Amino acid sequence: MKYPSFAGAMSAACALAVPAFFSPARAEEDPLTYIIVTGQRDIDTIDIIDGEKEIMSTPDAASLVARAPGAALIDNGSLSGQVQYRGLFGDRILVRVNGQRFSSGGPNLMDPPLHYAPMALIERIELDRGISPVRKGPGLGGGVNAVLKQVSFGDSRDLKPTIDLTAGYRSGDDSYLLGGIAGLSNDRLKFGVIASFEEGDDQQFPGGTIASTSFERLTYGAVAGLQVGNGNITLSYRRQETDPTGNPPFPMDIQYFNTDFLSIAYEGQLSDGLYLELDAGHVAVRHLMDNISLRPVPASPMRFRATFADSDSSTAAVALRIGEPNRHVRIGADVETVDKDVRITNPVNADFFLTSLNNITGSRIGAFVEGRTGFGLVEAEIGIRFDHHQMDAGTPQLGSAVPMGARIVADGFTAADRHWSDDTFDVVARLWGDLGVFTPRLTLAHKTRVANAVERFSWLPTGASGGLADGNIYVGNLGLDHEKAWIAEIGFDYESADFYARPTLFYRRVDNFIQGVPFDDTPGVIDSPVEMIANMNGDATPLRFANVDAELYGLDFDFGWNITGPLHLDGTASYVRGKRRDIDDNLYRIAPPNARMALFWQEENWRAGFELQAFADQNKVSVTNSEQSTNGYLLAGLFGHVTITSNLSLDANIENLFDNNYTQHLAGYNRVSGSDVALGDRISGAGRSAFIRLHWTGL
């Protein structure tokens, strides 16, 4: 079904939904209320997305975040989705799991942070509206933190057991999930174990099967806690083993990600008005991807590839809050180190290997001061942070079977200055006023981001682009400056007994925005070793990462109306425009205007509803990235929930109810031959699919 304009799609959506909204205030009072979009906003402008109240059938947690206003899903594979927020994605968004920062193991971001947050284990997702506060670290856009389920301390000395289990099945890819947590706790001790397993076949769509979209993921771990005086210590370990999983937008598929997470944290009251937070962690990623296991093998064994990638991230942080939660000064410091290696091989030729990223070492040391205060009716949170960054790259290692062109490029990189360091500062000021049902908001900020290892140190032209998945071949740039964004946001929250609305206007002016540009002034003319290598790999016009000027602006909001009786309507709408300021072009992979509305009937022990999603045409595409435009579309779905007993509940939904054939603008381009999606075409959206989920808590 094609809709030529956003207005047309929204008109259809409005015609099929009667106006009855839901107030977020009542979500807090009634735990059974279905929250279509987000939960409560706290004083720090954080939205809480409840993993149990959202009925999401896909295994990718990024699709859960994508339901929030301003957010969207970058679909790079069943377990490789990235969060886009107000036009920004990748490592421009501060994404963490259980508050832990870490670096992806893959040069193409096949394991973005939410790859490590299985849906069966998610308790909630915290979304920083607009901009992350400085205490959470550097990052150009908003922040996302996936909080996994864990055992809580009890209220007596008696050890009591806790169990929380989830099981689900999805028809569209014949997938299933099973996971949960079990443990013992009292008022001093807690111990729990977590585990989940998911497996699915290739995704179906109205035109057939999307090849190389099967997946398999196992997660397990343990957490222990001890109450010490007025504080507590928590120690956790988690391992995730992602086994063969397809990634059709990329030249290769996942063979494995074996990843270990270790963390220790303390938080507690030192004395009246003094609150201390300490944490440290380590994440070790071991990764293999290839182009021969899940997709048809290349015609020539010379093109067989298997790439090994390792990443080790270590973090530590300390923060001291002086004062009370709503009137305080917080000071803190944090440190982060990263080591990366990427080795490309030919599994049938031991003499062919090269390190596209070799012995990359990086570190960041930061400090911040943040205050929460008020001036009459105005509340304020103001913070500033300073970070010192440095990064180094080792010399490339090449086997004897590597052609001369790559050797010439490697020699040039070896002779270059491969050390980089820089200083950045971020400032964020949030102002809001509590005027009863009306809360105006204003945010002003200066935020920064430094280039990642792929953007800076990729000496070999390959398809590795940090997850852009645009089909282009890229090469890095040792001379990249850090990105600087000047940000303004204004909006308000209105909330009465039966109605709420939360619109926000935003503007981001980004200097030194990092993106691909033509490798030289004569694109298509093969007059350099880089262009020669790229042409041999199917791209006569490679791109190099460079600093450009950009801007992003738009509007997003959510709203709801609770009519007298059990009928409710919730919804969101988002619009973002991203474009270059230095030339007449658009930024790559910007979500089209879109809206969601859900009409549902809520009773004490059950609910049922109907949801519409409308997406506009996206014709404002990047010429530089050879981006294809897409048509708008409208999707319908059904959802329901029933509380069977006090411990057992059942959720179900049907997605793409009318089995429409559509294309998501943010999906990647297919690079798998033999699929029912043609080579080079954007990957189709999922067809009609039913999902059922059982959730049991007990003991």
Side-chain angles (χ1 to χ4, degrees):
M1 185 181 296
K2 175 178 180 293
Y3 282 82
S5 68
F6 182 61
M10 281 308 304
S11 296
C14 292
L16 292 172
V18 291
F21 292 73
F22 156 71
S23 167
R26 299 200 175 183
E28 192 173 52
E29 296 168 6
D30 182 2
L32 293 178
T33 302
Y34 183 74
I35 303 178
I36 287 292
V37 187
T38 63
Q40 277 290 87
R41 177 183 68 84
D42 72 4
I43 59 174
D44 297 322
T45 61
I46 297 174
D47 281 338
I48 304 299
I49 304 172
D50 192 319
E52 295 297 342
K53 291 188 173 68
E54 292 281 358
I55 309 176
M56 295 302 302
S57 66
T58 61
D60 195 341
S63 61
L64 179 59
V65 183
R67 299 177 65 81
L73 172 66
I74 301 286
D75 190 355
N76 282 339
S78 298
L79 301 180
S80 300
Q82 299 179 40
V83 174
Q84 181 176 116
Y85 188 57
R86 294 180 176 170
L88 300 176
F89 60 97
D91 57 9
R92 293 186 175 98
I93 304 296
L94 175 60
V95 184
R96 297 155 296 144
V97 178
N98 282 345
Q100 190 171 15
R101 297 173 64 104
F102 55 95
S103 179
S104 167
N108 245 329
L109 209 62
M110 285 182 175
D111 64 329
L114 292 183
H115 175 90
Y116 299 104
M119 292 292 291
L121 299 181
I122 293 176
E123 176 185 310
R124 67 183 186 276
I125 291 181
E126 300 168 347
L127 173 63
D128 297 322
R129 292 180 67 190
I131 301 168
S132 287
V134 298
R135 65 180 178 273
K136 297 183 180 180
L140 205 65
V144 176
N145 181 33
V147 180
L148 304 185
K149 295 176 181 177
Q150 61 176 292
V151 175
S152 300
F153 287 107
D155 54 7
S156 71
R157 293 186 178 183
D158 297 331
L159 282 171
K160 295 182 180 179
T162 299
I163 191 166
D164 185 307
L165 297 177
T166 299
Y169 174 80
R170 186 188 189 214
S171 66
D173 54 6
D174 195 25
S175 64
Y176 66 92
L177 66 87
L178 176 65
I181 183 168
L184 294 169
S185 66
N186 62 15
D187 59 354
R188 297 294 303 276
L189 299 168
K190 66 176 182 178
F191 176 79
V193 294
I194 63 169
S196 74
F197 182 75
E198 305 145 282
E199 187 175 30
D201 293 332
D202 288 340
Q203 177 65 54
Q204 303 298 306
F205 77 110
T209 300
I210 307 172
S212 192
T213 51
S214 61
F215 62 91
E216 185 176 339
R217 177 170 57 182
L218 170 68
T219 303
Y220 54 92
V223 60
L226 174 66
Q227 293 277 15
V228 180
N230 292 325
N232 63 79
I233 299 173
T234 303
L235 176 66
S236 68
Y237 168 76
R238 189 171 76 259
R239 180 174 175 85
Q240 182 163 302
E241 299 174 1
T242 303
D243 288 318
T245 294
N247 294 91
F250 296 136
M252 302 186 202
D253 299 306
I254 297 169
Q255 281 308 295
Y256 65 73
F257 276 105
N258 293 331
T259 305
D260 296 287
F261 293 80
L262 181 65
S263 67
I264 184 169
Y266 169 83
E267 59 177 330
Q269 194 86 22
L270 299 182
S271 63
D272 289 344
L274 287 179
Y275 193 84
L276 178 66
E277 298 171 310
L278 298 167
D279 66 77
H282 182 78
V283 179
V285 185
R286 303 295 178 259
H287 172 44
L288 170 63
M289 55 184 167
D290 70 23
N291 66 348
I292 57 176
S293 298
L294 293 183
R295 61 183 69 190
V297 300
S300 169
M302 292 178 61
R303 293 191 175 274
F304 288 11
R305 293 291 181 267
T307 296
F308 297 84
D310 297 340
S311 176
D312 288 271
S313 305
S314 298
T315 56
V318 57
L320 180 66
R321 190 187 73 198
I322 306 169
E324 301 305 320
N326 64 346
R327 293 291 184 272
H328 63 259
V329 173
R330 179 185 275 109
I331 57 175
D334 44 55
V335 61
E336 182 176 6
T337 64
V338 177
D339 297 307
K340 281 181 173 289
D341 290 278
V342 176
R343 181 183 178 92
I344 302 171
T345 71
N346 184 325
V348 298
N349 184 352
D351 294 325
F352 183 92
F353 64 86
L354 37 76
T355 52
S356 58
L357 295 174
N358 185 52
N359 193 26
I360 306 298
T361 60
S363 64
R364 177 188 61 81
I365 301 175
F368 69 88
V369 178
E370 186 177 74
R372 170 70 196 276
T373 186
F375 313 94
L377 295 177
V378 178
E379 295 290 312
E381 181 181 86
I382 301 172
I384 182 169
R385 73 172 292 123
F386 171 86
D387 291 279
H388 175 72
H389 311 256
Q390 65 178 25
M391 192 179 292
D392 295 272
T395 58
Q397 306 296 310
L398 292 82
S400 59
V402 173
M404 183 56 66
R407 294 184 178 279
I408 294 172
V409 177
D411 289 343
F413 183 77
T414 298
D417 182 2
R418 302 183 309 280
H419 171 76
W420 165 86
S421 64
D422 201 359
D423 298 322
T424 62
F425 75 93
D426 294 357
V427 181
V428 175
R430 299 180 175 200
L431 307 172
W432 68 94
D434 186 358
L435 306 179
V437 298
F438 183 72
T439 303
R441 296 178 277 105
L442 172 66
T443 302
L444 302 173
H446 174 269
K447 300 282 281 183
T448 58
R449 182 188 79 97
V450 302
N452 58 41
V454 170
E455 294 164 337
R456 187 174 300 281
F457 291 130
S458 292
W459 61 270
L460 181 70
T462 68
S465 59
L468 295 176
D470 58 0
N472 288 295
I473 285 179
Y474 281 81
V475 68
N477 183 348
L478 291 169
L480 290 172
D481 291 327
H482 67 265
E483 297 178 337
K484 304 174 183 177
W486 301 92
I487 306 167
E489 299 179 357
I490 188 169
F492 65 85
D493 294 358
Y494 177 83
E495 182 181 324
S496 65
D498 297 317
F499 177 81
Y500 79 90
R502 308 187 306 165
T504 302
L505 283 165
F506 62 89
Y507 177 81
R508 282 181 169 86
R509 178 186 176 93
V510 188
D511 298 330
N512 299 327
F513 188 84
I514 299 170
Q515 78 151 58
V517 302
F519 176 74
D520 58 21
D521 294 332
T522 57
V525 178
I526 303 171
D527 55 2
S528 70
V530 166
E531 290 167 304
M532 179 185 69
I533 296 169
N535 185 56
M536 291 176 61
N537 288 283
D539 186 357
T541 57
L543 302 179
R544 62 179 173 88
F545 287 107
N547 293 117
V548 303
D549 294 324
E551 63 181 355
L552 301 103
Y553 54 86
L555 166 70
D556 53 61
F557 61 95
D558 56 349
F559 58 93
W561 189 356
N562 179 23
I563 222 169
T564 301
L567 195 62
H568 310 271
L569 182 78
D570 272 5
T572 67
S574 304
Y575 168 79
V576 60
R577 179 82 166 90
K579 60 183 181 179
R580 298 266 296 270
R581 293 172 18 236
D582 52 335
I583 64 172
D584 185 16
D585 197 10
N586 301 296
L587 295 183
Y588 171 63
R589 225 173 186 183
I590 300 296
N594 61 88
R596 304 172 189 265
M597 287 194 292
L599 180 70
F600 61 100
W601 187 277
Q602 173 74 56
E603 293 289 353
E604 182 178 357
N605 294 318
W606 65 271
R607 59 178 171 264
F610 177 74
E611 182 181 63
L612 288 171
Q613 302 177 55
F615 293 82
D617 298 349
Q618 181 57 288
N619 298 313
K620 296 179 174 62
V621 295
S622 171
V623 175
T624 303
N625 292 81
S626 305
E627 187 178 17
Q628 302 171 10
S629 61
T630 52
N631 296 322
Y633 56 92
L634 185 69
L635 298 177
L638 300 175
F639 60 86
H641 166 90
V642 59
T643 301
I644 301 172
T645 70
S646 59
N647 302 103
L648 180 65
S649 64
L650 182 147
D651 295 285
N653 71 358
I654 300 177
E655 298 174 326
N656 194 1
L657 181 63
F658 301 113
D659 205 27
N660 290 338
N661 197 349
Y662 68 98
T663 302
Q664 295 175 326
H665 184 75
L666 298 184
Y669 302 95
N670 180 46
R671 303 187 68 170
V672 178
S673 62
S675 175
D676 290 326
V677 178
L679 277 172
D681 283 0
R682 208 182 294 267
I683 295 169
S684 300
R688 182 191 297 116
S689 182
F691 176 71
I692 188 169
R693 179 181 70 190
L694 282 169
H695 178 225
W696 181 71
T697 59
L699 306 181

